[in-house]
Amino acid sequence: MRKDASGKQHFKIVFVGPSLAGKTTLLRRLHSDVTGIKKGGLNSIEDPSGRTIYFDFSPFMATSNVILDIYTVAGQKRHRHQRALVLKGVDGLLFVADSSRAMLADNVESAEELKKELGDKLNKEIPLVIVLNKRDLPDAMDKRELIDALNLGTNLPVYETIATEGIGVKRAFQSLAREVLLKQVYNM
């Protein structure tokens, strides 16, 4: 959490996960579908094919004094250094897993990188919500099997989503925002 010059509190939320899991699609859905909240522009740094090459960003004003600065990270393996930079000062994480069985190794590798990068802070100081995206795929893994394979901790909030249709997206985000505010503001 940081305070800006006008005294507003900014909380940094980062969507992490493997390449093409749907992090940017989740953010775009939130930006277009969530009503009743002020949002800044949606900024993306992407290559000509539309893939994120550094991060995406959009601020959401939760109250007149609380702003949720939402970032996504590039999931491609070659962007590991950029991910580490974006994770600096993170207040909450949304881990986006691709439900396809073909993506299992990429999901696990991304989860392991996250655990290595944040160590003991993960789940203790930094709240984590897991999103199992692309639940509509014909080869979508069983929920419990995928969660166990990620090995990110127990008793974490888990949401099944179809980001392209907006299914489950808002609820997952609300859960993470709640966890971040409880942890960072109320130290719960």
Side-chain angles (χ1 to χ4, degrees):
M1 191 269 301
R2 71 173 178 83
K3 283 192 177 184
D4 65 21
S6 65
K8 290 181 171 66
Q9 295 178 318
H10 289 256
F11 296 93
K12 185 176 186 178
I13 293 176
V14 179
F15 294 6
V16 296
S19 183
L20 300 174
K23 300 174 296 291
T24 298
T25 304
L26 279 159
L27 179 55
R28 287 184 177 148
R29 264 306 184 173
L30 280 173
H31 198 269
S32 67
D33 293 357
V34 173
T35 59
I37 188 171
K38 287 186 179 182
K39 298 169 276 206
L42 176 57
N43 301 299
S44 294
I45 301 173
E46 53 191 33
D47 67 17
S49 71
R51 293 183 73 177
T52 302
I53 57 172
Y54 193 60
F55 62 84
D56 303 309
F57 170 76
S58 183
F60 284 53
M61 187 171 253
T63 69
S64 60
N65 290 320
V66 174
I67 298 171
L68 304 172
D69 291 325
I70 306 170
Y71 295 82
T72 71
V73 295
Q76 300 94 324
K77 293 176 186 180
R78 69 182 181 272
H79 294 298
R80 182 180 189 140
H81 180 70
Q82 288 95 323
R83 282 191 296 279
L85 292 173
V86 174
L87 286 171
K88 298 282 186 207
V90 65
D91 294 304
L93 293 161
L94 192 77
F95 186 90
V96 182
D98 186 317
S99 292
S100 172
R101 183 163 296 282
M103 289 294 293
L104 179 59
D106 292 320
N107 287 323
V108 170
E109 183 178 345
S110 185
E112 289 300 318
E113 178 186 311
L114 185 62
K115 289 188 287 189
K116 184 178 178 185
E117 187 66 39
L118 297 176
D120 290 340
K121 291 181 180 181
L122 190 60
N123 297 327
K124 292 179 184 158
E125 295 174 35
I126 303 168
L128 173 66
V129 170
I130 298 174
V131 166
L132 307 180
N133 194 31
K134 303 182 185 182
R135 297 307 289 167
D136 56 333
L137 292 176
D139 70 334
M141 292 181 65
D142 173 73
K143 178 180 176 179
R144 181 84 264 147
E145 182 184 8
L146 183 49
I147 293 166
D148 289 347
L150 293 173
N151 192 28
L152 286 168
T154 58
N155 300 319
L156 296 172
V158 176
Y159 292 87
E160 297 179 87
T161 64
I162 304 172
T164 56
E165 297 176 23
I167 296 172
V169 172
K170 186 176 177 182
R171 292 192 69 208
F173 175 71
Q174 288 171 326
S175 175
L176 180 58
R178 178 183 180 277
E179 294 294 322
V180 167
L181 293 175
L182 286 173
K183 176 63 79 181
Q184 301 299 331
V185 174
Y186 301 105
N187 202 22
M188 297 177 79

